[in-house]
Every structure is written in C-alpha cells, then in structure tokens.
Amino acid sequence: HPHANSTPARSQTSGSGTVQLSRPRFQITLVRNAGRETKVNRRTSAAMPGFLARSFLLMVLIASPAFAAKALLELPPGVSTHPDSRAPIEQLYAAYSRLAELGWSLDVIIQSQPPGTTYALPIIALRSPRNGPAAWFISGIHGEETAGPNALAAAIDDLAALGAQVPVVVLPLNNPHGYARNWRYLNMPVYSDSIDGNSVGDSSHLLPEPGQAGKSRAMAASSPEADAITRYVLAQSSLYPPRYSIDLHEDDLIDEGYVYSQGQLGAADPLAIEAVRVLRENDIPLKMDGQTRFGEAVDNGIIGPVTDSSIDELMSSDVVVFEGQLRQGPGARTVLVFETPARGAAFMQRKAAHLALIRRLASLIAAAEKQ
C-alpha cells in the first residue's frame, strides 16, 4: 500500500529539541530524549567565556521567539529544493515557525539524514499551548507529494485560530529530504511494486499482527525516522490524545482521487463525506465507486478502514505493541487520508484543494468541539 511500504531494519533513536514559547514571558528549553538538557554551541558564543556565552544566548532567545525557532531550525548551507512549483524548503520551515511565535511548542523529532545524503534536515512538530483531546494534521510523508506541506504553510493563521479553541498537533513535513530532492521514500525516489521503499510513516513495528494481538508485524522500525516519528506520536498521545487525524497525500499514478476513512465510523464519518464534497467543489476528479488500484472498495469516494501499516492505521489503533508489551494506542475517532491525483492537475490547483480541506475541516472540528 502506498501509505507505508518498507523493509524492517535496525531501529535507532535520535535526540530531539523543543522550543516552548509561552506568554507573557518566553520559556526556552532545549531537550534531548527524556528531558535531559542539551548543550548549545553557536558561533556567537564561541568567543565568550562559558558563563557569559550561555547568558548571552539565553537573553537573545528570551528576547526574540522568532530567533528561538530559527536557531533550532537553522538549516545547513546549500540546501536546494527540486525545481518545480513547490516552495523552497526554507520558506516552509519559516512559515511553520510562525506558530512558535504565537506560543506553540516547536519540537524537533529527529534530524533526518537518509543514506546518500550529506547533511541532516529536521523533522518537526508543533503543538498548541492548550493540550487535551486534539486535532492532528500530518503531511509530507512522501516527498514528491507537495500540495499538503505547502497548503499547511498557507494555513498557519487557520491552524492558529483552531488551536485557540481546540488542542492541535501539526507534523507538516515528515520527509524533508524527500521533499527537497523529490524522492518518495528515504531510500528510493518512486513507488515500486517489487522493491520496498522505506516510508517515514511505516508503523509496522508497533501494530499488532492480525490474529496475533501480542506480536507486532515487524521486529524493528524500518528507519530511524519511522522509529522517531511513531515514538513521538505515542508520547504525545498522552497529552494530546488524537480525536481527529488529517493526513494529506497525493498520488501521481491515479487519475481520480479518494478519501480513506480509517477511524471508528469508517465510510460513514461525516467529515469524510464533507471532504468528498470539498474536493469536488475544487474540481478534483474523484473515484466514487469501484475499486482503488489496490483492490479496495470505494463507496461514494470513500474507502473504509484498511490494514496498511501506515501512520494512519497507527493513529486509529486502540492497541499497539511497544517494546514487546501491549499498550493503549492513539485510538483516534476520525482518521482521514486524502489521496488526490497529482498528474493532470496543476500544483496550484492541488494546493488550493488541500488548503480548502484544511479550512473546512478546521471549521467543522471547532464547531463540533464547542458542542
């Protein structure tokens, strides 16, 4: 299945960083793994005695939330982005960082450096100041699917407004190297029926084998990125338990799109039905019946829950296998995955459709949570 297609490999955990910006006074914390404080090395501090350098850096960060986010997300020189209509990757990070300026927490889940690359790029998440049952927005799992990450960058004000009413978690660019070089997976550029691609969203190491609840489908995560992202989902599910999960995808091998509804209501989920309406309003061709190219039944543009070992199946799962033990899973009520056709439609049209989805669903989620 295109959502998660991977071969199990050695699992590895990386350090993470968090910028927490609260008002009226900004609190900045850099953390590694289980809350241990990490050292900060900057050229601005290199020429000063240790105490003065640390004090200077802390004063700068407290004075400027924008600088705090920028310091954590500073990219290596010479990063280039695939030359098409997508925004340069630096612009995306700058747009996402605006939420940190509004008091959101910005987490660096892992510094991603797939085999064959020469530098690392951060996989980030942003959390609203308010926690509790949350709406999660995910995009950029596959690097060549560019409408979602660009639509989320254009929807910062909408996400901020939603976060003022409902707890929100955003994972906007889960495969930054894939986005920059137009590679679908960490290890290969395109989908293949015969070769497994390492997807950053692969969750097979956490999901129970069908019919064997105590056994996971894979012994280990297929990549450090998949390990770090799925661990992050489980860790944050305690503070921000997913009630809604929205995952933005595209597919350049189809001419008609569809909506996966992995949550408890399946094809009857009102938000899935509304999503079909939004896509049609935005002139996105949809497959309303028949089967997907994977043989899944389509009912009025919607596919009910499927077993695909994706991050979306993880978000909907009530039970996971973590370090050999059964534990409670995220168990989101609504889990929607949008597969819009990428060929035959201009980038700006696809981006506009994804932006319309974000805005309509954000509005409906806010209204539902008021009741």
Side-chain angles (χ1 to χ4, degrees), residues 204-210 212-219 321 324 326:
S204 55
H205 58 293
L206 295 176
L207 291 167
E209 185 75 43
Q212 302 182 55
K215 179 183 178 183
S216 61
R217 300 171 196 173
M219 292 296 294
V321 182
L326 285 176

Side-chain angles (χ1 to χ4, degrees), residues 219-285:
M219 292 296 294
S222 59
S223 67
E225 288 84 354
D227 184 42
I229 291 171
T230 54
R231 282 177 181 269
Y232 181 85
V233 168
L234 294 185
Q236 293 302 329
S237 290
S238 60
L239 286 175
Y240 295 81
R243 183 169 289 173
Y244 310 91
S245 177
I246 310 299
D247 192 358
L248 303 170
H249 279 264
E250 300 186 89
D251 192 336
D252 59 6
L253 298 179
I254 60 176
D255 296 311
E256 297 176 305
Y258 30 79
V259 176
Y260 286 94
S261 184
Q262 289 274 63
Q264 298 169 9
L265 300 180
D269 194 310
L271 291 185
I273 296 169
E274 183 63 19
V276 169
R277 183 178 298 114
V278 171
L279 291 172
R280 299 185 78 178
E281 289 173 356
N282 283 268
D283 298 322
I284 299 297

